[in-house]
Amino acid sequence: MDWEFATLSSPYFGELANTILRLKDSGASIWDKETLEAAVTIADTARRIGENKKSRTLFINLNNWRAAESHLRTLVEIQERFSHIEGCSYVTQLSNWAWVLVKLNKHDEAKATLIKIAELGKRVDDPTEVLIHRLKLAETQRFCGDLKEAEGLLLQVLKDSREGLRADHLKTIRVLELLCYVYYDQKNWAQAELKGFELVKLSQQALGPKQPDTHWEVNPNPD
């Protein structure tokens, strides 16, 4: 087993990769078959990411949706067995999976994933995790075409984030950015432009005017 690849996968698969590494570092003398298979999957995924540095998400930028769906399904199943499924890493995987399912016209499965994200959000108490769960729920609602629901949730999350953090906090900016995309999808050009100008202003406050991220443009694809 080349554990270097498992280590490299930590930024991409968060708690899942870290769980496998903790099991390895514990010095346990007996490894069950499922744990070894999980480690192999993570290592292989990290290797593939390393071989395709331009792809921010495995296979997605190559439009190989079937390969992406298969890999994300496997990762979700492994994380359900070995990791903390209420965590933000797992919810992010579910949201990415729902997006790919929609691309493959598997709308029923995408909706089931959306419901799962909503249920998981009820189990968290930490304010930061609550914000991230709600943001991922709204993001998934957008993927599934539930634009009115996504808009309503994001407006509430934006209000809470401004009060709990601040207007130019990066998490608040991310909420505002996603709201811009929802307005774009709705063809609500007036609100998209209004919120877009606000997004640029707040991004410049947070990051400085010379940062490329401060020049907002509509990009309907997720990060």
Side-chain angles (χ1 to χ4, degrees):
M1 175 64 62
D2 192 339
W3 294 106
E4 178 186 358
F5 290 116
T7 304
L8 287 172
S9 70
S10 293
Y12 299 94
F13 304 116
E15 188 60 27
L16 175 58
N18 290 331
T19 298
I20 298 298
L21 290 171
R22 282 198 298 272
L23 288 171
K24 178 257 183 180
D25 291 338
S26 69
S29 57
I30 300 175
W31 280 67
D32 62 64
K33 182 180 178 182
E34 286 187 344
T35 304
L36 283 173
E37 289 176 350
V40 169
T41 297
I42 294 172
D44 181 63
T45 300
R47 181 185 292 107
R48 289 172 183 269
I49 289 174
E51 291 171 353
N52 184 15
K53 294 180 181 179
K54 292 183 180 180
S55 179
R56 289 179 298 173
T57 305
L58 184 63
F59 298 120
I60 288 176
N61 282 1
L62 300 177
N63 291 329
N64 190 340
W65 304 114
R66 293 191 182 281
E69 194 278 328
S70 176
H71 231 92
L72 285 166
R73 183 186 295 271
T74 300
L75 288 167
V76 165
E77 290 173 353
I78 292 172
Q79 191 151 357
E80 288 172 348
R81 292 202 303 268
F82 293 105
S83 193
H84 175 53
I85 64 170
E86 286 85 12
C88 297
S89 171
Y90 177 64
V91 172
T92 298
Q93 297 292 355
L94 286 178
S95 183
N96 290 338
W97 187 27
W99 180 52
V100 173
L101 287 169
V102 169
K103 289 290 186 180
L104 291 170
N105 292 318
K106 296 183 177 182
H107 297 286
D108 289 344
E109 286 190 77
K111 287 282 188 179
T113 304
L114 171 63
I115 293 170
K116 184 180 289 189
I117 292 173
E119 289 301 315
L120 287 171
K122 299 175 183 178
R123 304 184 192 178
V124 295
D125 299 315
D126 179 78
T128 300
E129 287 201 6
V130 169
L131 188 153
I132 294 173
H133 274 68
R134 294 171 76 194
L135 182 60
K136 285 299 174 184
L137 175 58
E139 187 175 61
T140 311
Q141 287 173 331
R142 179 191 166 222
F143 297 157
C144 293
D146 300 338
L147 299 178
K148 202 63 184 176
E149 291 83 353
E151 177 191 1
L153 179 55
L154 285 169
L155 287 171
Q156 184 59 54
V157 174
L158 184 62
K159 178 178 179 293
D160 294 345
S161 186
R162 283 170 170 165
E163 293 174 355
L165 299 172
R166 62 178 188 275
D168 62 349
H169 192 282
L170 292 179
K171 285 188 173 60
T172 308
I173 290 171
R174 175 57 184 146
V175 177
L176 184 59
E177 180 185 31
L178 184 52
L179 183 59
C180 287
Y181 293 153
V182 169
Y183 284 136
Y184 173 82
D185 290 346
Q186 292 176 342
K187 296 182 172 54
N188 187 342
W189 311 124
Q191 282 297 322
E193 182 178 26
L194 181 65
K195 295 300 182 184
F197 281 129
E198 183 181 355
L199 177 62
V200 169
K201 180 180 177 182
L202 292 173
S203 297
Q204 288 176 345
Q205 290 178 15
L207 302 172
K210 295 184 179 181
Q211 286 287 336
D213 290 341
T214 64
H215 303 287
W216 181 77
E217 61 181 0
V218 171
N219 173 16
N221 294 323
D223 292 336

